[in-house]
């Protein structure tokens, strides 16, 4: 019976920091000349376009901002996109809209993927690795080894996509509190990344968690309406936010998780305050996009 109980958070974080990088070699650009990666993105990207743009109806607002940042952001500047998580197929279907280079493996995103779902055996681990996925141990904390791998990608100016809620939620409700992993990557990156918010709805109808017959469908459903809203980059005054976090942290009395200090000297309590503030700012921006999307959908239905 005790084996079925969830492990304490501090124990999960210690295990996360100790865990190695699963099948990292398969995710390297030069693995077998890059051929497996190209094949994977041709196949999955093509399937995403078929499902999102042909079998369903997808509308996108402000796609040019995303595409511009993929193709022509300053050299060496990383990009982090953040989106709400509505279904297990959000990625790759989110990139299946018309005009998006979903089959270009060089422009494609890296994405944080749940290790206990995507990396359960050798075959799936290899597939997701060549698909530019980084395994993340849920509950393993922001200092787990896999987060260092994500930081390394950002240090090369790569694009990293994150679902900061950390879990699929198909409820039409305000966004959950965001996990602090995204904020920690923003702060710890050697070059401050551009952070672009994306909000969507409709994928929960394409792949519902609980279909009318009581379980998730085997295949994506068709003839659904998908809406994607791409926001504008979120601006962070990190020096000011750091200064504000220091005095706030002095009033905290939480048990230590054993985090190391950052290179610029932020202790664990200050990091918590800083990551909380950054996460809340991201959540507020995403929620405003989500509310805007709801209002647009109500207006569209009223005139049809």
């Amino acid at each position: 019976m005790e084996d079925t109980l969830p492990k304490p958070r501090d124990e999960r974080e210690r295990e996360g920091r100790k865990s190695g990088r699963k099948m990292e070699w398969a995710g390297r650009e030069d693995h077998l000349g890059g051929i497996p990666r190209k094949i994977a993105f041709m196949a999955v990207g093509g399937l995403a376009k078929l499902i999102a743009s042909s079998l369903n109806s997808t509308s996108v607002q402000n796609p040019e901002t995303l595409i511009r940042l993929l193709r022509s952001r300053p050299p060496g500047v990383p990009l982090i996109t953040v989106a709400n998580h509505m279904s297990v197929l959000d990625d790759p279907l989110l990139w299946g809209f018309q005009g998006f280079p979903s089959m270009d493996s060089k422009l494609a995103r890296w994405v944080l993927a749940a290790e206990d779902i995507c990396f359960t055996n050798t075959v799936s681990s290899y597939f997701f690795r060549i698909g530019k996925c980084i395994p993340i141990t849920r509950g393993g904390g922001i200092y787990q080894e896999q987060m260092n791998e994500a930081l390394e990608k950002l240090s090369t100016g790569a694009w990293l996509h994150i679902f900061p809620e950390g879990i699929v939620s198909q409820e039409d409700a305000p966004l959950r509190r965001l996990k602090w992993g995204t904020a920690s990557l923003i702060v710890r990156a050697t070059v401050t990344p551009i952070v672009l918010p994306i909000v969507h709805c409709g994928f929960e109808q394409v792949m519902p968690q609980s279909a009318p017959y009581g379980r998730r469908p085997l295949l994506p459903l068709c003839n659904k309406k998908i809406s994607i809203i791409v926001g504008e980059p979120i601006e962070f005054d990190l020096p000011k936010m750091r200064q504000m976090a220091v005095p706030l942290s002095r009033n905290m009395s939480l048990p230590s998780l054993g985090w190391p200090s950052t290179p610029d000297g932020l202790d664990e309590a200050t990091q918590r305050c800083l990551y909380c503030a950054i996460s809340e700012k991201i959540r507020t921006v995403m929620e405003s996009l989500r509310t805007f999307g709801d209002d647009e959908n109500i207006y569209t239905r009223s005139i049809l």
Side-chain angles (χ1 to χ4, degrees):
M1 182 67 177
E2 291 181 355
D3 292 339
T4 65
L5 295 176
K7 297 179 180 179
R9 178 178 175 180
D10 57 346
E11 183 177 343
R12 297 198 308 269
E13 292 206 3
R14 285 195 298 271
E15 290 181 356
R17 288 196 289 268
K18 292 178 182 177
S19 61
R21 302 185 182 184
K22 181 176 292 186
M23 211 175 282
E24 183 183 11
W25 52 269
R28 293 173 184 156
E29 186 176 5
D30 59 356
H31 170 58
L32 296 180
I35 295 175
R37 178 183 290 183
K38 291 178 181 178
I39 293 174
F41 276 97
M42 287 288 289
V44 176
L47 183 62
K49 283 195 178 296
L50 173 66
I51 296 172
S53 299
S54 297
L55 300 180
N56 293 282
S57 175
T58 299
S59 64
V60 188
Q61 297 187 46
N62 195 31
E64 59 274 6
T65 294
L66 173 60
I67 294 174
R68 172 177 56 82
L69 288 174
L70 293 190
R71 295 187 180 279
S72 59
R73 65 184 180 276
V77 176
L79 171 66
I80 292 179
T81 51
V82 290
N84 55 321
H85 208 357
M86 298 294 286
S87 81
V88 295
L89 290 182
D90 287 353
D91 187 300
L93 297 189
L94 188 57
W95 321 118
F97 62 85
Q98 292 294 336
F100 189 84
S102 59
M103 292 180 281
D104 188 331
S105 61
K106 290 187 176 180
L107 287 178
R109 88 291 171 268
W110 288 90
V111 63
L112 303 184
E115 187 175 34
D116 60 327
I117 295 176
C118 302
F119 294 82
T120 56
N121 57 61
T122 301
V123 174
S124 66
S125 296
Y126 182 78
F127 174 76
F128 283 105
R129 269 301 194 178
I130 63 175
K132 300 176 76 170
C133 298
I134 299 173
I136 288 294
T137 303
R138 292 193 287 188
I142 64 173
Y143 281 102
Q144 60 182 279
E145 177 57 32
Q146 293 90 330
M147 291 292 280
N148 291 332
E149 184 179 348
L151 282 170
E152 290 172 9
K153 303 303 180 189
L154 292 175
S155 70
T156 66
W159 167 28
L160 178 67
H161 181 70
I162 304 174
F163 295 104
E165 292 175 285
I167 190 173
V168 171
S169 176
Q170 299 194 331
E171 300 175 358
D172 183 14
L175 294 172
R176 299 165 179 258
R177 182 186 70 83
L178 305 187
K179 305 294 185 181
W180 289 349
T182 305
S184 76
L185 291 174
I186 294 170
V187 171
R188 296 161 60 199
T190 54
V191 176
T192 301
I194 298 170
V195 181
L196 186 70
I198 302 173
V199 169
H200 55 86
C201 65
F203 292 125
E204 75 281 4
Q205 299 178 35
V206 176
M207 182 56 72
Q209 291 286 84
S210 179
Y213 39 86
R215 62 179 182 178
R216 185 187 301 160
L218 295 177
L219 297 173
L221 304 182
C222 304
N223 299 319
K224 306 299 181 182
K225 290 185 178 180
I226 301 165
S227 175
I228 301 172
I229 302 176
V230 179
E232 295 296 331
I234 304 174
E235 295 185 4
F236 298 96
D237 187 345
L238 290 182
K240 183 177 180 179
M241 296 181 81
R242 284 188 177 94
Q243 290 178 358
M244 295 177 63
V246 172
L248 288 174
S249 67
R250 293 173 184 155
N251 299 321
M252 294 184 65
S253 58
L254 296 174
S256 173
L257 297 174
W259 293 358
S261 296
T262 60
D264 56 351
L266 299 181
D267 61 18
E268 181 179 316
T270 306
Q271 289 179 65
R272 288 191 183 193
C273 290
L274 179 59
Y275 299 158
C276 183
I278 293 173
S279 298
E280 183 56 25
K281 182 167 185 176
I282 295 172
R283 194 197 70 81
T284 300
V285 172
M286 293 177 66
E287 183 61 25
S288 67
L289 289 177
R290 190 191 72 85
T291 304
F292 173 77
D294 286 346
D295 292 343
E296 286 285 296
N297 290 335
I298 291 172
Y299 173 75
T300 301
R301 287 195 297 269
S302 69
I303 64 176
L304 291 179

